[in-house]
Amino acid sequence: MAATGAESPRPEQGRRARRRVVAVVLAAIVILLAAAVTITLLVAGPGGTPSATTSSGSLAPTPGTTGVVSPSPTADTGPAADTEPTAKTGGPTPLPPEPGPTASSPAPPATPGATAAPPLPPGLLGQDLTIIPGAGNNIALTFDAGANAAGLDSILATLANRQVKGTFFLTGAWAASNPSGVARIVASGHRVGNHSMTHPAMTRLPEQAISAEIRDAEAAITAAGGDPRPLFRFPFGDRDERTINAVNSLGYVPVRWTVDTLGWKGTSGGMSRSGVAERVLGNLQPGGIILMHLGSNPDDGSTLDADALADVIDGIRSAGYGFVTLDRLLGP
């Protein structure tokens, strides 16, 4: 017969086993929870919000965003193509495309064999000069060339006969079309300047197009045997503070005029040979800069500036003035 006061050990062992199982399960749960928290923190990063990447590796939009990524700022490329009034007819013609270097492009290489442009006198910066400072009783005759060469032979002959040197502002297009004309001007001892490549209204152009106009003209004039640096004249006289600063940054001094003969208007525009001379002689002043044109009027074919040049020179001398080129701007 079995003893009656002793308890069987099996129920107690069962309870201990169950407690060990529960403890193991609880420990496993704690470990899993800790691992989940750790993974969540690693994925969320410093901001605390999980981020994801697309298949291309770029950041996908986070909750609450529109998914639109703002572009980074770029250099101002200026306005779209515009129109420009022509010099004679007033009709609109499209501005040329904006060729040449962008704002971030390197400067064009120097022309082989060309010397460095002289530094600009600080007193000439930031302005479009209308007189030659400190020139005394001297006048500069200047001739713009952009249309044709109809008056070139006559002008060069008159300057040679009167022993006067002038300054010729050439467009790059004119120089490329008349390389022999450039060579004759230079061989005769006259000064050349830059009048842009295609004669646009410069205030309508962004900086990179201004640079292209000036650099392309410089290259064309240099290829024909001239060196326009550092003299520049704005087409149509169209300029503002921005364009003047742009020209200065390219190593050029903008030069305007004291008096325009208006010979470019031609006989069809009410001008005459005597009218050209009268405008010049009625507006003489020390250091004055006279604007004349080398080509003919497109409507009537007249070359009033070339025709009146001898009278202009004789009248200036009779008034007690001499002649200089615009190199005088750079020093005595």
Side-chain angles (χ1 to χ4, degrees), residues 163-198:
Q163 298 183 354
V164 174
K165 303 301 181 186
T167 304
F168 290 74
F169 284 97
L170 314 176
T171 66
W174 190 93
S177 299
N178 299 275
S180 62
V182 178
R184 291 175 60 200
I185 290 169
V186 174
S188 298
H190 303 295
R191 189 65 163 89
V192 295
N194 190 322
H195 197 33
S196 80
M197 186 66 193
T198 63

Side-chain angles (χ1 to χ4, degrees), residues 76-272:
D76 181 14
T77 57
D82 206 339
T83 58
E84 168 202 356
T86 60
K88 303 294 188 275
T89 64
T93 56
L95 282 175
E98 299 169 5
T102 63
S104 59
S105 299
T111 304
T115 58
L120 300 179
L124 301 182
L125 301 179
Q127 55 186 315
D128 190 13
L129 295 161
T130 57
I131 63 168
I132 306 172
N137 283 349
N138 287 297
I139 299 293
L141 295 178
T142 68
F143 305 87
D144 285 5
N148 57 55
L152 179 60
D153 290 344
S154 175
I155 288 171
L156 289 180
T158 300
L159 292 174
N161 290 336
R162 296 299 196 277
Q163 298 183 354
V164 174
K165 303 301 181 186
T167 304
F168 290 74
F169 284 97
L170 314 176
T171 66
W174 190 93
S177 299
N178 299 275
S180 62
V182 178
R184 291 175 60 200
I185 290 169
V186 174
S188 298
H190 303 295
R191 189 65 163 89
V192 295
N194 190 322
H195 197 33
S196 80
M197 186 66 193
T198 63
H199 207 272
M202 301 291 268
T203 59
R204 299 186 181 188
L205 302 183
E207 278 71 10
Q208 62 267 32
I210 293 172
S211 177
E213 282 285 335
I214 294 175
R215 291 304 190 204
D216 289 350
E218 180 181 305
I221 296 168
T222 302
D227 185 355
R229 301 168 301 172
L231 304 174
F232 178 80
R233 175 165 283 164
F234 283 102
F236 311 112
D238 177 57
R239 82 280 193 246
D240 56 19
E241 182 179 1
R242 179 182 69 91
T243 53
I244 289 173
N245 290 337
V247 169
N248 286 160
S249 72
L250 294 169
Y252 281 88
V253 175
V255 184
R256 200 172 174 80
W257 53 83
T258 310
V259 57
D260 179 354
T261 68
L262 300 183
W264 56 268
K265 286 188 173 183
T267 54
S268 59
M271 288 300 295
S272 63

